[in-house]
Amino acid sequence: MNQDSLALIKNSIKTIPDYPKPGIMFRDVTSLLESAEAYKATIAILVAHYQSKGFTKVVGTEARGFLFGAPLALELGVGFVPVRKPGKLPRETISQTYELEYGKDTLEIHTDAINANDKVLVIDDLLATGGTIEATVKLIRQLGGEVAHAAFVISLPEIGGEKRLQDLGIEVLSLCEFE
Ligand code: PRP
Ligand code: ADE
């Protein structure tokens, strides 16, 4: 991977101390999106890494996973499937509840969005505890989809999400790390 692009991406992410709660160092990906150069470099690195690997769908998690998943799916020439917070998807859904770094939440997916022929790439902006992506992987597998790869712009390795996902058989790619 291009080291200049990786440095550009990391340097474009602002940190907000004590947001949304005291003690949380919030890594704000909106500052990356504000830089056309950094946003473009992010998608280009992901496309180069995942093209020609046979993925049939990209799944992105609400909300910030959409910002990277949709452009990546377009570039890879495959469909994009949103995993959303409860009550947002109009067709039949299945759901999973999970723990966050700061709270608890539930995620849903349309039951007809993934099938047994799908080889799925999961993407989100940030990996912390891995709870969001563990729930997402369970949803995809429950629908019969194959999922063995997850991509993140940011990883917080000290929180342990990477190990949690590896234990689920998921190979993790993250473009930058923060404490
Ligand atoms: C954040 C972030 C990831 C998740 C990472 O989303 O965008 O999706 O937390 O945490 P984890 O690895 O501990 O699960 P959040 O739930 O705040 O939702 P939002 O994107 O809708 O703000
Ligand atoms: N989601 C969970 N932990 C986070 C953090 N430290 N910064 C940004 N988003 C997050």
Side-chain angles (χ1 to χ4, degrees):
M1 274 182 267
N2 183 300
Q3 295 305 313
D4 289 343
S5 291
L6 291 173
L8 171 72
I9 290 163
K10 184 165 186 177
N11 290 334
S12 73
I13 296 163
K14 291 181 179 164
T15 296
I16 295 88
D18 300 321
Y19 180 91
K21 287 184 176 177
I24 302 282
M25 295 290 277
F26 193 83
R27 311 301 177 175
D28 180 15
V29 85
T30 68
S31 54
L32 181 158
L33 301 169
E34 288 159 13
S35 160
E37 206 188 351
Y39 196 5
K40 202 170 172 185
T42 304
I43 302 304
I45 283 186
L46 293 169
V47 170
H49 191 80
Y50 290 114
Q51 69 190 352
S52 310
K53 295 248 167 44
F55 292 107
T56 61
K57 298 268 169 61
V58 172
V59 169
T61 49
E62 183 166 351
R64 287 167 267 159
F66 299 171
L67 302 167
F68 299 97
L72 177 60
L74 274 178
E75 290 291 329
L76 293 178
V78 303
F80 174 75
V81 176
V83 162
R84 296 210 62 180
K85 305 282 167 73
K88 299 287 186 182
L89 292 171
R91 305 195 305 271
E92 186 188 330
T93 59
I94 54 169
S95 63
Q96 278 283 334
T97 296
Y98 65 103
E99 302 281 338
L100 277 175
E101 187 186 3
Y102 40 83
K104 205 175 188 188
D105 221 330
T106 298
L107 287 174
E108 297 184 343
I109 192 170
H110 278 135
T111 51
D112 63 359
I114 300 288
N115 63 55
N117 297 318
D118 279 320
K119 185 175 169 190
V120 178
L121 171 62
V122 175
I123 182 152
D124 204 351
D125 69 321
L126 179 141
L127 175 62
T129 66
T132 304
I133 297 306
E134 178 172 353
T136 300
V137 164
K138 285 180 177 166
L139 290 170
I140 295 163
R141 289 180 176 165
Q142 211 178 314
L143 296 177
E146 179 191 326
V147 54
H149 295 268
F152 303 88
V153 179
I154 303 164
S155 169
L156 309 179
E158 287 172 10
I159 300 178
E162 186 158 345
K163 167 89 173 64
R164 183 172 179 176
L165 296 186
Q166 281 165 356
D167 290 347
L168 280 173
I170 302 296
E171 194 175 307
V172 171
L173 172 72
S174 41
L175 303 189
C176 62
E177 294 186 350
F178 289 91
E179 285 172 17

